[in-house]
Every structure is written in C-alpha cells, then in structure tokens.
Amino acid sequence: MATDSDFTPIREVGEFGLIDRMKTILGKPTNDDVLAGISDDAAVYRIDDDHVHVMTTDVLIEGVHFDRLINPMEYLGMKSIAVNVSDVVAMNAEPRYATVGLGLPETVSVEQVESFYQGMRKACERYGVTVVGGDTSAAHQLTISVTVVGEARTRDVVYRRGAAPGDLLCVTGDLGGAFAGLKILLRQRQELQERGDDFAPNVEEYQYVIQRHLVPTARLDVVRAWREAGVKPHALIDLSDGLGSDIHHVCTQSGCGAELHVAAVPVALETRRVADEFEEDVDTFALFGGEDYELLFAAARDDLEKIEDESYSVIGRFTAESDVTVKMPDGTTFPLGKGGYDHFRDESGT
Amino acid sequence: MATDSDFTPIREVGEFGLIDRMKTILGKPTNDDVLAGISDDAAVYRIDDDHVHVMTTDVLIEGVHFDRLINPMEYLGMKSIAVNVSDVVAMNAEPRYATVGLGLPETVSVEQVESFYQGMRKACERYGVTVVGGDTSAAHQLTISVTVVGEARTRDVVYRRGAAPGDLLCVTGDLGGAFAGLKILLRQRQELQERGDDFAPNVEEYQYVIQRHLVPTARLDVVRAWREAGVKPHALIDLSDGLGSDIHHVCTQSGCGAELHVAAVPVALETRRVADEFEEDVDTFALFGGEDYELLFAAARDDLEKIEDESYSVIGRFTAESDVTVKMPDGTTFPLGKGGYDHFRDESGT
C-alpha cells in the first residue's frame, strides 16, 4: 500500500490521468462478452448473438458541476437523466434502464427531492427510460450519480474509433449555447446576491441559451432518424467536454487527425449575442464551452446525402496526419491542444 | 415547484420515506420487461425468454458510511464492489459488470486512488466482475457510487416477496461481527488520536471482526452451492441494514410475519468477546449491528436437507400473523419494531 510520503495531488494527473491508471490497474477485460470498456461514451457488452447492452455512469456534484442557486432541482433531475442518455445515444443505442444514487445535504428538503424526482420522470418519459433502483444517503454536497443501461443491435453500435481519413467531420445542432447560458445565469446570480429581492432575473431574453445549460437535450431523435434512413456513421461521440476536447478522443482512438473550420461551426444567434455582450469571442464558446450534448460524428459523403440537411453541419474532415488543425475564418490555422475541461483543475462553479 | 416555505427536513421521513416518494412520483414501470423495480435488493429486467439481468447501485460516502482513518483505501475498493455483489447475490444471480463513480477530495492522493483501484480489482477477480466504466470528479467528501449488473436464468431469481407461513427462517454465517469490528476500530482511532504515534493498534487479537467490518464477503459461494444442489429458497435478502430491519422487508413484501429465536442467531466467539469487553449486549450486535452481508432466506424443510449443514442456521419461522416477534433466551417475547439503520437519522461515523 502507498505510504503517506507518496502524495501526488490528483490535479497533477487530472481526470484522464486517473482513467489511464484505472485501466492499467484493472487490466484488459478477460470477459469475451465485453466489446468496449472504459474507452468510449458507454461500455458495450453482448447479451445474445445479435444484441448488446451499453452502460454508462455520470456523477454530478454540487459546486463542481452545478450550483443550486442557478440550477432548480426539477431541471437537475431532467439533466441527470439526459446526460447519461446522451452517452447511450453516442453509441447509437436506445436507453432503457436507470439507477439513481443520491447524496443529500441537510439543506435539501423533501419537497426539493420530490421536484428532482419529477424532473427525472419527465426526462424518463421523453427518452423511454425506466428508473429501476437507487440509493440515497446523507452527504455534505448534493451528489447525483446516475447509471443508464441501453440496448442496440450489435451491428448498429458506433464507437469512437471508426473515423478514417477523408471522412467528413460533422456536428448536430449548434454549439456554445450551454456555456452562454451559464454566463448569463452566473451574472444573474451575482446581481441577485448584490441587489437581493429587488432583482428580477431576465429569463425571457436569454431563454434559449439558459435552457441549453439547464436542461440539455440528448439527441436520441437524431440517431433514430439515422437508423430509419439506414445510415450508420463511422465514429460518434457526444459533446460534453467541448468540441476542442472531444474531437481529440475520436482522433486518438481512430488513429487519425482532423481539420476543423471554425467558420463552419454552427452557433445560434442568441449565443453570438451573449458573447458580444460579454465582449468575448464566440468561437471560444463553441470550441471549448462544453455541455451542449450535441453529437460529433464521422461520415462518408454518400451517407450524408440520406440524412436531412438541417440536422447536421459539416465542420471539417478527418485527415491522415495525427494532429487536429483549426482553420480560423481569416484563413490562419493553429494546432488544437488536447486540453479540454477537467473537473480537478477548475472548480470555478460549473 | 415547491416554494421555500415548504421545507420538510429529510430526517423526518428518512431513507425509506424518500424511496416511497420516489416510487409514487415515478409510477409503476410501464416497461413489461421490468420484473422487479425499486422494491428488492436489485432490479430485474428481461433480456430474453429465459434470462434476466439484475441491476443495483450502492453509494458509500465519507463520514456517513466510512471514515478514512479506519477504512484503508484498498479495503474500501474491495468493499464498494462486495456490497453491490451482495445485492446481486440476494437475487440468486451472478455478478457480471460494474461502473464506478468517484468523487475525490483534494486530501486524496493519486497513490490512494490507485490503492482503491487495486482493491476493486481484487474484489472483481474474486466475484467474476468486470469494471466497464466510470466517472470521476472533484468533491468535498470521498464519495463512491458503484453500479453492478448481474445475470440469471429467469426461473432462478429469488425475490423478497416469496416467504410463506410455515417456511423456516434461516441465515448464513454469523452476525454482529461487522459491528463488533467497527467498535474496535473506533476505539483504536480514538486511542490513536489521543496517544499519537506512540500507539500501535492491536489488530491481531480482533482480526476476525475487523475484517468483517472492513472487507465484507458477498455470499456468492452460498447461492452457487444452492443452485448446484437444485435448491431455490422462497425468499432472499442480504443483511446490510441489520437482521432486525431486513426481516421486516421480507415480511412486508411477503405479506406474512415471523418468529425469531435470539438464542439460535449465530454469533462468532470473537464477536461475543468484544461485546463483553464493551459490557454491551451481543444480541443487540447481532440483531441491529448491520453490514454483515450474510443472507437471510425462507426455505422449506425439504430444501434444507439438500444443503450442507454448516452453511446456514435456522433462527425461526415465518408465520401467518403480520408482526415479527422475538423470543429471548429466557423465554420472554417482544414485538420487533421496523426501525433499522437510517443514514439520515444517525451520522455517528459508520
């Protein structure tokens, strides 16, 4: 066992450093039914000759992932299901069952827990999920740990590892909105704290971006439409950490690189307006904001022709070189580092 | 949504009150594949005509379920897997896959997380579990949330609800040991704090009970032996909350009562010695101590004849009346209340 003198702070290795250590210590799965382990959005294991289940866990902790002053309990209930469903969707699978672990501080009331459950129910109805179990305990911080199991035909599953040079780099929806919403909510929280009850938050004007942050949508609609159209992307990931970080996961596992055109990255008008208001660069929101829960995928041009045009944007292509290059609107390029969001390195409130 | 004026503290309804509210708000599962939901040791859902998967989550939180001063990280890793495997075993299923959610405070080092993973690996090898995924985050308290999925033939699954009047009430192993171990460890922690580095904890003398607390064993060996012998109990639960609480879960769901003979409850010599040392009643340890992770089951006399004698003790019988009666060694009886351990009502350190 380690002695007290060996004390490496976790922030020195970060979340991905811990995952690497976990993989090394646990070793490669010896169970042949495991088709994907700790390296994708969700694990994949065989349940019969033609079907697999996928399984994923997300932990949401007060003060790290959310702030109860700006995240109402009902929305937290919805979000805690949606972010896990998003991981199931990112394997091209259908969500089925969930368990919910809750750590509840004394400052949370029974009524608030009920609001949380009501939010969970709404999200479960929307995505076809059944909550089959859970565990609750006292805790100092509100802690939410949800596990979702989903189902797919073995041949439908899409991994992160399938992108090939020449594939088009695509995303669904628009990016940066969740981060813009967070900026607005944090500003409103500050105004509320400074001006007390006199202050009425302006929610109307920023409805779209606030909702993007508080209640993200898992794009189950998109993968269902793909399956109906007979389209299967080559690689797939959900955009939780942020485009700039998640693109690296796909490239590393696929053994290729990518070229990303910033001018082509879809951004909503309201997101752009918020960036302007804060005098910040909207491209930063879109590249590094995170938490949009849209899908990034690699696809052949032929496949894209079978999909509805409005559901996605082509923002670049995969390349044979191993690095990720960003092309700015003015024609300049820069290499995109691997740094994404790491909860151990930044505790600034989201 | 609830207003601020509605503030019912969670300790007023407790853990089981929250579970009831969760069941009410989420409603009965509409998914026909769900054979058991939030009412048993683990949820049960169909994966094909003859097989089910079971799924369970347990949350372990520093300061509520454990204390890092007395629970070494490697043992915590083993325990966090074992307590979930125990829930799978309590459905008469085989554990298969696990995900691990970790909330890590700054006072935990990378080396300690590695010890935790090493403990997980040992437990996984022992029980045949593959860790397929997880999530880690910063947190104020060390928080461990493990979900385990297991597999069984549909006809092998044993629920809490199957006990019938006349069935024998049995338990595996011996009880109260985990609680005795906790008493010793808490005393040693106090001595360590008072006397500093001069103090060398006496681990040798209390080896059995300390190990019962730190590294509980899920009785996978027992259910495997039953299946080999063609024996299927009528009802089954694992003893996590404590005999006095868990017997009520079986009786309530089976719609019957029970008569429990305290003199027949198996207690290890070392457990008895610890109770004597503390001048406490060993029957209280055995009835209410909890965390022994042995199995309580209802069985017909014919079935018991097929099982090895040393693996279980008959400690009473199920009755047609709805209450649970305890017979003391001196012949007196008293009704056993439903109060078991509730993490929202007692935060005294376990």
Side-chain angles (χ1 to χ4, degrees):
Chain A
M1 224 174 294
T3 63
D4 282 354
S5 59
D6 304 323
F7 194 100
T8 310
I10 289 169
R11 63 176 180 281
E12 274 185 24
V13 304
E15 185 172 353
F16 296 118
L18 283 186
I19 294 174
D20 284 343
R21 280 164 174 76
M22 185 173 169
K23 281 198 268 187
T24 306
I25 291 171
L26 293 174
K28 248 191 142 52
T30 52
N31 183 336
D32 288 341
D33 289 329
V34 177
L35 304 183
I38 308 167
S39 52
D40 219 303
D41 291 85
V44 182
Y45 48 85
R46 220 187 303 266
I47 60 161
D48 66 32
D49 288 346
D50 305 314
H51 294 84
V52 296
H53 273 184
V54 305
M55 184 178 182
T56 182
T57 292
D58 264 324
V59 179
L60 299 179
I61 297 183
E62 183 175 4
V64 182
H65 302 86
F66 64 87
D67 179 332
R68 265 193 284 151
L69 280 176
I70 58 178
N71 295 72
M73 290 295 279
E74 182 170 352
Y75 292 170
L76 273 179
M78 295 170 77
K79 185 168 184 167
S80 64
I81 296 292
V83 298
N84 280 283
V85 168
S86 182
D87 281 325
V88 168
V89 162
M91 306 308 295
N92 196 17
E94 286 284 318
R96 284 275 181 272
Y97 310 107
T99 56
V100 181
L102 281 183
L104 298 167
E106 278 182 10
T107 50
V108 171
S109 69
V110 173
E111 290 77 12
Q112 287 170 327
V113 179
E114 287 175 334
S115 293
F116 180 85
Y117 289 151
Q118 267 146 14
M120 278 197 346
R121 192 198 64 214
K122 283 184 190 169
C124 285
E125 281 169 2
R126 175 171 189 175
Y127 299 115
V129 172
T130 306
V131 174
V132 292
D135 191 18
T136 55
S137 166
H140 292 168
Q141 289 165 292
L142 178 55
T143 306
I144 307 163
S145 172
V146 172
T147 303
V148 170
V149 165
E151 193 182 0
R153 289 187 304 185
T154 310
R155 65 165 186 254
D156 284 341
V157 177
V158 182
Y159 299 91
R160 291 180 177 176
R161 60 184 177 236
D167 280 351
L168 295 173
L169 168 59
C170 313
V171 292
T172 61
D174 57 82
L175 305 187
F179 187 72
L182 175 64
K183 297 280 284 186
I184 294 293
L185 287 165
L186 287 173
R187 189 176 67 186
Q188 287 183 351
R189 183 185 64 176
Q190 202 184 341
E191 287 173 346
L192 196 69
Q193 282 167 337
E194 285 167 6
R195 293 156 60 186
D197 288 342
D198 291 340
F199 175 70
N202 177 356
V203 180
E204 284 294 306
E205 203 182 334
Y206 305 102
Q207 216 171 354
Y208 179 71
V209 296
I210 287 177
Q211 172 235 311
R212 291 290 282 176
H213 175 74
L214 293 182
V215 197
T217 301
R219 300 308 305 267
L220 186 54
D221 57 327
V222 168
V223 294
R224 282 179 177 170
W226 287 347
R227 288 199 298 269
E228 209 153 296
V231 170
K232 185 184 167 187
H234 297 167
L236 183 56
I237 190 171
D238 77 326
L239 292 168
S240 50
D241 295 336
L243 176 56
S245 174
D246 291 322
I247 176 80
H248 280 291
H249 295 310
V250 173
C251 287
T252 305
Q253 295 211 20
S254 298
C256 66
E259 192 180 88
L260 195 160
H261 298 261
V262 169
V265 175
V267 174
L269 265 181
E270 203 174 292
T271 305
R272 203 172 289 278
R273 197 156 48 80
V274 171
D276 289 347
E277 224 179 285
F278 282 87
E279 295 181 356
E280 293 190 24
D281 183 10
V282 74
D283 297 332
T284 312
F285 285 25
L287 282 175
F288 304 106
E291 291 221 278
D292 286 311
Y293 296 99
E294 294 293 341
L295 299 172
L296 183 157
F297 61 101
R301 194 172 296 275
D302 290 356
D303 274 337
L304 288 184
E305 279 162 17
K306 300 179 205 158
I307 315 179
E308 236 186 292
D309 271 346
E310 299 107 65
S311 71
Y312 70 93
S313 306
V314 178
I315 62 166
R317 60 186 187 88
F318 288 89
T319 60
E321 294 80 43
S322 69
D323 40 347
V324 177
T325 306
V326 174
K327 270 206 164 169
M328 296 304 287
D330 65 5
T332 58
T333 65
F334 69 90
L336 185 69
K338 288 200 183 188
Y341 189 76
D342 194 314
H343 292 298
F344 291 106
R345 291 172 171 158
D346 185 335
E347 284 193 60
S348 63
T350 63
Chain B
M1 223 174 293
T3 65
D4 282 354
S5 60
D6 303 321
F7 194 100
T8 310
I10 289 169
R11 63 174 181 280
E12 273 185 26
V13 304
E15 185 172 353
F16 297 117
L18 282 187
I19 295 173
D20 284 343
R21 279 164 175 77
M22 185 172 169
K23 281 199 266 187
T24 305
I25 291 171
L26 293 175
K28 249 192 141 54
T30 52
N31 183 335
D32 288 341
D33 289 330
V34 177
L35 304 183
I38 308 168
S39 52
D40 219 303
D41 291 85
V44 182
Y45 48 85
R46 220 187 305 265
I47 61 161
D48 66 32
D49 288 347
D50 305 314
H51 294 84
V52 295
H53 274 186
V54 305
M55 183 180 183
T56 182
T57 291
D58 263 325
V59 179
L60 299 179
I61 297 181
E62 183 175 6
V64 181
H65 303 86
F66 64 87
D67 179 332
R68 265 194 283 151
L69 280 176
I70 57 178
N71 295 73
M73 290 296 278
E74 183 171 353
Y75 293 171
L76 273 179
M78 296 171 77
K79 186 168 184 167
S80 64
I81 296 292
V83 299
N84 280 285
V85 167
S86 183
D87 281 324
V88 168
V89 162
M91 306 309 295
N92 196 18
E94 286 284 319
R96 285 276 182 268
Y97 310 107
T99 56
V100 182
L102 282 183
L104 298 167
E106 278 183 9
T107 51
V108 171
S109 68
V110 173
E111 290 78 10
Q112 287 170 326
V113 178
E114 286 175 334
S115 294
F116 179 86
Y117 289 150
Q118 267 146 14
M120 278 198 344
R121 193 198 63 214
K122 282 185 191 169
C124 285
E125 282 169 1
R126 175 171 191 176
Y127 300 116
V129 172
T130 305
V131 174
V132 292
D135 191 18
T136 55
S137 167
H140 293 167
Q141 290 164 291
L142 178 55
T143 305
I144 307 161
S145 173
V146 172
T147 302
V148 171
V149 165
E151 193 182 0
R153 289 187 304 185
T154 311
R155 64 164 188 257
D156 285 341
V157 177
V158 182
Y159 299 91
R160 292 179 177 176
R161 60 184 178 237
D167 281 351
L168 295 173
L169 169 59
C170 312
V171 293
T172 60
D174 58 83
L175 304 187
F179 187 71
L182 175 64
K183 299 281 284 187
I184 294 293
L185 288 165
L186 287 174
R187 188 174 69 186
Q188 287 182 351
R189 183 185 63 175
Q190 203 185 340
E191 286 174 346
L192 196 68
Q193 283 168 337
E194 284 167 5
R195 293 159 58 186
D197 287 344
D198 291 341
F199 176 70
N202 177 355
V203 180
E204 284 296 308
E205 200 181 336
Y206 306 101
Q207 215 170 357
Y208 179 70
V209 296
I210 286 177
Q211 174 236 309
R212 291 291 281 178
H213 175 74
L214 292 182
V215 197
T217 302
R219 299 308 307 265
L220 186 54
D221 58 327
V222 168
V223 295
R224 282 181 177 168
W226 288 347
R227 287 198 300 268
E228 209 153 295
V231 170
K232 184 185 167 186
H234 297 167
L236 183 58
I237 190 171
D238 77 325
L239 292 169
S240 51
D241 295 336
L243 177 57
S245 173
D246 291 322
I247 176 80
H248 280 292
H249 295 310
V250 173
C251 287
T252 305
Q253 294 211 21
S254 298
C256 66
E259 193 180 85
L260 195 161
H261 297 260
V262 170
V265 176
V267 173
L269 265 180
E270 202 173 294
T271 305
R272 203 172 290 279
R273 195 154 51 77
V274 171
D276 289 348
E277 223 179 286
F278 282 86
E279 296 182 358
E280 293 190 25
D281 182 10
V282 75
D283 297 332
T284 312
F285 284 26
L287 282 175
F288 304 107
E291 291 221 277
D292 287 310
Y293 295 97
E294 294 292 341
L295 299 173
L296 181 158
F297 61 102
R301 193 173 297 276
D302 291 356
D303 274 337
L304 288 184
E305 279 162 15
K306 299 179 204 157
I307 315 179
E308 235 186 291
D309 272 347
E310 298 108 63
S311 71
Y312 71 93
S313 306
V314 178
I315 62 167
R317 59 186 188 89
F318 288 89
T319 61
E321 294 82 42
S322 68
D323 39 346
V324 177
T325 306
V326 174
K327 269 205 167 170
M328 297 303 290
D330 64 6
T332 57
T333 65
F334 69 89
L336 185 70
K338 289 200 181 187
Y341 189 76
D342 193 315
H343 292 297
F344 291 105
R345 290 171 173 159
D346 184 335
E347 284 193 60
S348 63
T350 60

